[in-house]
Amino acid sequence: MITPMSAPEGPTLRELAVQALSSVERGYDLLAPKFDLTPFRTPDAVLAATADALRPLGPFGAGLDVCCGTGAGTGLLRGLCRERVAGVDVSAGMLARAREACPAGEGRHPDPEWVRADARALPFREEFDLAVSFGAFGHFLPRERPGLFARVRAALQPGGRFAFPVMAPPRVGSLPYWTLWGFDAAMRVRNALWWPPFVMYYRTFRLPDVLADLERAGFEPAGLYPLAALGRRPDGAPRCRLVVARRPAEDPA
């Protein structure tokens, strides 16, 4: 999941260092023009597998991409939702890039709406029947997750679904395991020594904890779908699962 390499036209090490020493919002404003050339963009294979898993659960009318970045997930929603699609992100730079990547007026697909807002204060109430998010949850501390999930729940209509992929953790002691451990350790040191903080941790989003946080936020489980197209680990477990939670149909607030 983590690699230091970008496309040749992508950000330089100096540009990445400047981003890492900025706030989350400012860092992504700086990175936005080259973000899609980095390994941090959600891979097309993950988007396609997610769309395949969600399609049988539809049809969907209105979809929300939480922490949309440059609009990769928003593009997915345009193929799933018939009436309305919105992407929300805190970074104005990322939203500007999303507008370029997902232009309006593309035939039968709904034109995307772009909203600048913090996901912890989503400005929607019972407007969507599907919400998705890709690769953004590491920017929120574990104690913030129940509140974040509660805001997503409030944005959904009763019976609406919230879906996001979760990668299987690497085997303890493997190179990916130590890479993630080292990244998180370096980030903690950086945030202890430098202001403003840049919150991005890979090892704090553990599936059992996330499922418990969804329940605390008022969601009910609606499915845990293996994304078979993304392969399996040597032990046979899927490399990636799609978490689907539902706002209860009889939910007054």
Side-chain angles (χ1 to χ4, degrees), residues 33-252:
K34 297 182 179 180
F35 179 81
D36 289 341
L37 299 173
T38 73
F40 306 117
R41 181 190 184 275
T42 302
D44 289 339
V46 174
L47 296 169
T50 299
D52 289 343
L54 287 174
R55 198 168 288 112
L57 304 180
F60 300 105
L64 174 66
D65 185 6
V66 181
C67 304
C68 67
T70 57
T74 315
L76 173 152
L77 288 175
R78 295 180 79 186
L80 293 174
C81 301
R82 299 174 298 179
E83 301 167 7
R84 179 189 180 195
V85 168
V88 60
D89 201 277
V90 73
S91 166
M94 295 290 271
L95 289 172
R97 179 70 188 97
R99 289 188 185 93
E100 297 174 2
C102 300
E106 291 188 341
R108 59 187 178 86
H109 299 298
D111 291 341
E113 306 167 22
W114 305 109
V115 179
R116 186 183 179 195
D118 191 315
R120 293 162 292 196
L122 291 173
F124 308 109
R125 189 167 184 83
E126 298 189 354
E127 299 181 36
F128 302 94
D129 53 358
L130 175 63
V132 298
S133 191
F134 296 90
F137 293 125
H139 292 303
F140 302 95
L141 297 173
R143 66 174 181 270
E144 298 176 302
R145 281 200 305 257
L148 168 66
F149 291 163
R151 297 305 299 229
V152 176
R153 170 181 158 270
L156 290 169
Q157 301 167 3
R161 292 179 174 89
F162 180 29
F164 50 87
V166 176
M167 297 297 296
R171 180 176 55 82
V172 175
S174 65
L175 178 59
Y177 173 87
W178 288 116
T179 300
L180 295 178
W181 191 94
F183 181 94
D184 282 11
M187 188 60 66
R188 292 184 187 282
V189 172
R190 176 256 185 248
N191 287 335
L193 300 176
W194 193 269
W195 184 265
F198 189 95
V199 175
M200 183 61 208
Y201 299 112
Y202 283 94
R203 298 179 66 249
T204 60
F205 201 71
R206 299 179 177 91
L207 184 57
D209 299 334
V210 169
L211 296 178
D213 289 340
L214 286 166
E215 184 176 354
R216 291 188 190 98
F219 281 100
E220 59 184 19
L224 194 59
Y225 299 88
L227 299 182
L230 301 179
R232 292 187 175 272
R233 304 197 312 175
D235 62 3
R239 294 189 181 278
C240 189
R241 291 182 172 94
L242 185 70
V243 174
V244 181
R246 182 191 294 113
R247 177 174 176 172
E250 301 297 329
D251 188 358

